[in-house]
Amino acid sequence: GRRRGGRRLARAAQSSAEELRTPHSGYHYTGLSDRFFEGWYFRVTIPEIRKSFAFIYSVEDPGNPNSKQRGVGVQVMGPSDGYVTQYTKSTDRFWADPYSLALGTTLQTKPFGTPLTGMTSAEEFDGSVKYGFQTNSTWNQGSIRSVGVVPPGSIRETVDTCRWAYNTTPTQGWGDAQKQEATAGWAAVLPIFEPHWQVLMANGKADGWIEWGDERYEFKNAPTYAEKNWGKGFPAKWFWVQCNAFKNTETEEDTELSLTAVGALRELPGISESLEEVGMIGLHYDGDFIALTPRDSIVTWTVDEWGRWEIQAERSADANSDTDGDSGLRAEVLATCAPRAGTPLRAPTPTNGLFPVCKDTFEGHVRVRLWKDDSLVLDATSDNAGLEIGGGPWDERWRGKAELTPVVRALWSAPVDIERVFEGPLASLR
């Protein structure tokens, strides 16, 4: 009965994952030797003990064996903003599916084990792989140890080992129940937008365990989240706020809410000679999907060098919107953390490879408020916010306003179904 029940749960999770598959779920590498990276971020939050983990996988320059940036990295961020990583300069054992979310690598085999080339059972993985990982939309499993080649830069590692295995049932991708969307709009497939970004799973429930050094954490129905980036490198400067473990401010009851708020300074080669500020507030709340972007909203922010993030977005009542009832919205996000919170994290860079260029914490406090036609419809808080700043310089407070150039606005607003357009030979561009 237990095995049959487990299989039923696995089938249900897989069915949910297929229904909520977002654009850009597959691996984007096309086989060329040009500069290229792709990175994936999976987060699990255990709200009752205020602990979170992030599993960060990256591959760089797989088509260029002479590249100094070539490599595969596995970073894990853990409790109390802890950190551990394992890295290899070889990409030969990295694999990923070009059409769906599935990837992995074998960093070291066990005696008589063989490197894996695709998703396999948990038992086969454990039998063959000493260090490495495999993951898809419903399963994440791996084991790493701080050994071997150290990636560039210095980050204090707080444990020597990490092992994990957990099931995921996605409940929200990026979009509403009828359609999953490209987070940055369909034009994100164009090479002028660097890096590309997609939220793969705004919300899900995870069951399993994580061993962090000598401590073991077991969890059930833990909020989980996933996103990815790909391209040549990260923006010149950015911030990020993410949380999907909220309580209603007034009632203190759990609230089904997922927040992703970002801002970035990016260059558009061939379109703009200057840097462009872009940003958004994305909410999945009570069955609704709300994305306040510069396409049809005013998005502004004030972000300190560290410790305070304020983001506002407003869509006027007369704004053009794809969905009836989405106008007249205003959202505010206020996030804070202690000055000593946080750890550096590495991210792929065009010149230094996997290098410390950002700072993150899981110990943030965040409050989200949403108004509809001046009536407060959402007020939620959490002490489990993921907060980040990256790039730079960060020598002063950043006051920004997301404004799209006319050309970019026209591209972003075009009604293009990328799943239909980018089929066949163009599928790798999705």
Side-chain angles (χ1 to χ4, degrees):
R2 181 178 179 181
R3 178 173 295 179
R4 289 195 296 272
R7 289 175 177 171
R8 284 196 297 270
L9 288 173
R11 285 196 298 269
Q14 189 61 48
S15 175
S16 172
E18 291 171 358
E19 292 175 0
L20 296 173
R21 186 180 73 87
T22 67
H24 302 298
S25 291
Y27 185 37
H28 290 79
Y29 175 58
T30 59
L32 300 177
S33 61
D34 296 351
R35 166 63 186 170
F36 174 83
F37 87 90
E38 194 148 349
W40 297 260
Y41 178 99
F42 299 83
R43 182 184 178 190
V44 174
T45 302
I46 312 175
E48 55 270 24
I49 58 173
R50 202 187 171 199
K51 304 291 185 185
S52 289
F53 295 86
F55 302 91
I56 307 166
Y57 310 127
S58 60
V59 60
E60 294 184 81
D61 293 352
N64 184 356
N66 298 318
S67 169
K68 294 181 180 180
Q69 288 75 47
R70 179 181 170 100
V72 175
V74 182
Q75 302 178 80
V76 183
M77 184 176 164
S80 303
D81 293 336
Y83 179 84
V84 64
T85 186
Q86 189 168 353
Y87 178 78
T88 177
K89 292 292 292 180
S90 173
T91 63
D92 295 342
R93 292 181 174 183
F94 177 84
W95 62 268
D97 190 301
Y99 303 107
S100 62
L101 177 60
L103 60 140
T105 197
T106 302
L107 297 168
Q108 183 177 334
T109 60
K110 290 182 176 178
F112 309 109
T114 57
L116 302 180
T117 58
M119 290 297 299
T120 187
S121 68
E123 293 77 15
E124 184 174 351
F125 181 92
D126 282 336
S128 292
V129 178
K130 184 175 183 180
Y131 302 125
F133 74 92
Q134 64 170 354
T135 188
N136 62 14
S137 55
T138 61
W139 180 249
N140 192 7
Q141 178 182 15
S143 173
I144 65 169
R145 187 179 187 88
S146 180
V147 295
V149 178
V150 178
S154 177
I155 300 178
R156 185 178 71 89
E157 301 197 3
T158 54
V159 295
D160 294 327
T161 62
C162 182
R163 297 177 62 239
W164 62 96
Y166 62 88
N167 285 296
T168 297
T169 302
T171 57
Q172 294 167 324
W174 187 259
D176 57 28
Q178 284 71 45
K179 181 177 176 58
Q180 299 304 302
E181 301 181 9
T183 305
W186 77 268
V189 301
L190 302 176
I192 57 174
F193 296 96
E194 290 284 348
H196 310 295
W197 175 54
Q198 178 69 44
V199 175
L200 300 164
M201 178 177 58
N203 217 347
K205 299 299 181 184
D207 300 339
W209 55 266
I210 299 168
E211 291 181 355
W212 181 249
D214 296 330
E215 295 187 70
R216 182 180 174 96
Y217 297 85
E218 297 185 357
F219 47 88
K220 190 173 180 62
N221 291 324
T224 184
Y225 170 91
E227 65 174 45
K228 68 186 296 187
N229 298 90
W230 68 99
K232 291 182 173 62
F234 273 59
K237 186 176 183 177
W238 74 91
F239 69 83
W240 175 85
V241 178
Q242 186 276 323
C243 188
N244 55 343
F246 280 93
K247 290 186 178 295
N248 182 289
T249 302
E250 184 175 332
T251 66
E252 287 294 312
E253 295 179 350
D254 291 345
T255 298
E256 283 295 319
L257 168 66
S258 177
L259 161 73
T260 307
V262 298
L265 191 63
R266 69 180 183 189
E267 185 178 0
L268 299 178
I271 288 184
S272 174
E273 296 301 323
S274 60
L275 293 171
E276 177 186 57
E277 291 182 326
V278 293
M280 61 159 286
I281 295 176
L283 302 171
H284 288 79
Y285 169 62
D286 196 26
D288 292 329
F289 170 60
I290 299 167
L292 299 173
T293 72
R295 181 181 65 177
D296 55 13
S297 305
I298 298 172
V299 184
T300 59
W301 59 82
T302 302
V303 178
D304 288 359
E305 302 93 317
W306 182 248
R308 187 177 180 89
W309 294 250
E310 295 181 64
I311 312 103
Q312 300 86 28
E314 184 170 4
R315 180 186 297 149
S316 65
D318 57 353
N320 293 325
S321 179
D322 295 336
T323 306
D324 293 339
D326 271 358
S327 59
L329 294 173
R330 179 165 58 94
E332 291 185 0
V333 175
L334 174 59
T336 58
C337 71
R340 294 185 179 181
T343 179
L345 286 183
R346 293 177 169 95
T349 65
T351 55
N352 294 311
L354 196 62
F355 194 77
V357 291
C358 48
K359 183 177 181 179
D360 285 58
T361 183
F362 287 144
E363 300 190 345
H365 174 83
V366 63
R367 183 179 185 183
V368 180
R369 290 184 290 177
L370 176 69
W371 291 264
K372 168 67 174 175
D373 297 330
D374 295 325
S375 296
L376 185 66
V377 295
L378 169 65
D379 190 351
T381 60
S382 177
D383 288 322
N384 292 283
L387 309 176
E388 179 180 76
I389 60 170
W394 283 97
D395 51 6
E396 61 181 0
R397 181 174 293 165
W398 183 14
R399 300 182 187 274
K401 181 178 181 180
E403 293 184 299
L404 301 180
T405 65
V407 173
V408 174
R409 184 182 299 276
L411 282 172
W412 199 346
S413 300
V416 176
D417 185 342
I418 65 171
E419 291 293 287
R420 184 174 297 275
V421 172
F422 293 93
E423 293 178 340
L426 298 178
S428 63
L429 297 176
R430 292 184 302 173

